């Protein structure tokens, strides 16, 4: 179906009285102006929306950061495990404190008993309770040093057995007429040989 050029020209000529270029121009200009105003409003609304979006994004990020557990704070499982461990430590410390208090009470009772005994012993005279033989003590002391006196029946020292550091035994008689100092030097010399 082809339209002839003549029909087209005739249709255009029929439309000339209907078409008013000035009115159409004003309509187009008004439409362009309205579109420009609308576009500016849309840009302004878009920028406002972007500002609101950025603000809301910052608020969202802050809310996310505040709602998540910081790395310095342990997880719920780690916290529960730590609480259990601390409870066990608390119980063991309480038991240790109880044991220490019991031990302290026992030691305080023992101290009180020992103080009473000390007071009683300080009040008593031990020399009156025992008859000490000074001669027997001296002889035991000499024997511990390595000197064993041999006594006569009348209680005089006749000889002295001297055990030296090398475990040799020497016999010293007191009939040579030496002085006490010379005998003492001789005895110590033999004991230290």
């Amino acid at each position: 179906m082809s339209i002839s050029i003549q029909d087209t020209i005739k249709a255009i000529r029929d439309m000339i009285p209907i078409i008013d270029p000035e009115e159409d121009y004003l309509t187009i200009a008004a439409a362009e102006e309205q579109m420009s105003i609308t576009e500016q409003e849309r840009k302004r609304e878009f920028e406002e929306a972007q500002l609101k979006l950025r603000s809301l994004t910052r608020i969202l990020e802050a809310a996310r950061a505040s709602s998540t557990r910081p790395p310095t704070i342990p997880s719920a499982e780690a916290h529960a495990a730590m609480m259990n461990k601390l409870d066990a430590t608390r119980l063991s410390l309480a038991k240790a404190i109880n044991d220490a208090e019991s031990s302290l009470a026992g030691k305080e009772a023992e101290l009180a008993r020992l103080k009473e005994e000390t007071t009683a012993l300080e009040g008593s005279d031990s020399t009156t309770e025992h008859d000490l033989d000074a001669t027997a003590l001296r002889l035991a002391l000499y024997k511990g040093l390595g000197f064993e006196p041999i006594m006569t029946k009348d209680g005089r020292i006749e000889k002295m057995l001297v055990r030296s550091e090398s475990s040799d035994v020497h016999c010293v008689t007191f009939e040579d007429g030496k002085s006490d100092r010379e005998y003492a030097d001789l005895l110590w010399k033999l004991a230290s040989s």
Side-chain angles (χ1 to χ4, degrees):
M1 174 162 158
S2 129
I3 298 175
S4 71
I5 292 192
Q6 291 298 332
D7 290 338
T8 305
I9 292 175
K10 183 180 176 234
I12 290 175
R13 282 190 187 146
D14 288 341
M15 289 181 68
I16 285 179
I18 299 174
I19 298 177
D20 182 10
E22 198 173 304
E23 189 182 317
D24 288 342
Y25 172 76
L26 290 175
T27 304
I28 290 173
E32 283 180 349
E33 186 178 331
Q34 186 62 34
M35 287 174 58
S36 173
I37 291 170
T38 305
E39 185 178 343
Q40 288 176 355
E41 282 182 23
R42 281 188 189 149
K43 271 187 180 180
R44 184 182 54 78
E45 287 175 1
F46 180 73
E47 288 172 358
E48 286 177 2
Q50 278 191 325
L51 287 173
K52 282 183 182 178
L53 178 64
R54 285 187 194 122
S55 172
L56 290 173
T57 302
R58 282 193 294 270
I59 292 171
L60 175 66
E61 289 303 317
R64 275 192 188 143
S66 68
S67 68
T68 57
R69 186 179 298 272
T72 56
I73 297 175
S75 66
E77 295 82 17
H79 178 71
M82 179 63 78
M83 291 302 291
N84 289 339
K85 183 179 176 185
L86 290 174
D87 280 345
T89 303
R90 180 179 56 83
L91 291 174
S92 66
L93 285 175
K95 183 181 180 304
I97 289 169
N98 191 18
D99 292 346
E101 286 175 347
S102 297
S103 175
L104 177 65
K107 296 295 180 187
E108 286 175 344
E110 184 179 357
L111 178 64
R113 183 184 55 80
L114 289 173
K115 281 183 179 180
E116 287 176 7
E117 285 181 19
T118 302
T119 305
L121 287 175
E122 286 174 352
S124 69
D125 186 12
S126 60
T127 56
T128 59
E129 293 175 11
H130 303 288
D131 291 330
L132 297 177
D133 186 6
T135 306
L137 286 174
R138 277 193 294 262
L139 289 175
L141 186 68
Y142 291 148
K143 191 170 185 177
L145 291 172
F147 303 105
E148 188 173 340
I150 306 294
M151 310 289 274
T152 61
K153 290 185 182 187
D154 61 354
R156 279 185 354 130
I157 298 176
E158 180 181 16
K159 313 180 209 182
M160 182 75 72
L161 295 177
V162 180
R163 190 176 323 113
S164 66
E165 290 180 3
S166 62
S167 296
D168 292 336
V169 178
H170 305 280
C171 182
V172 176
T173 58
F174 297 106
E175 298 170 357
D176 298 345
K178 296 180 183 177
S179 69
D180 289 343
R181 175 148 178 98
E182 289 174 325
Y183 279 124
D185 288 343
L186 175 65
L187 290 172
W188 284 112
K189 181 179 175 187
L190 291 172
S192 61
S193 65

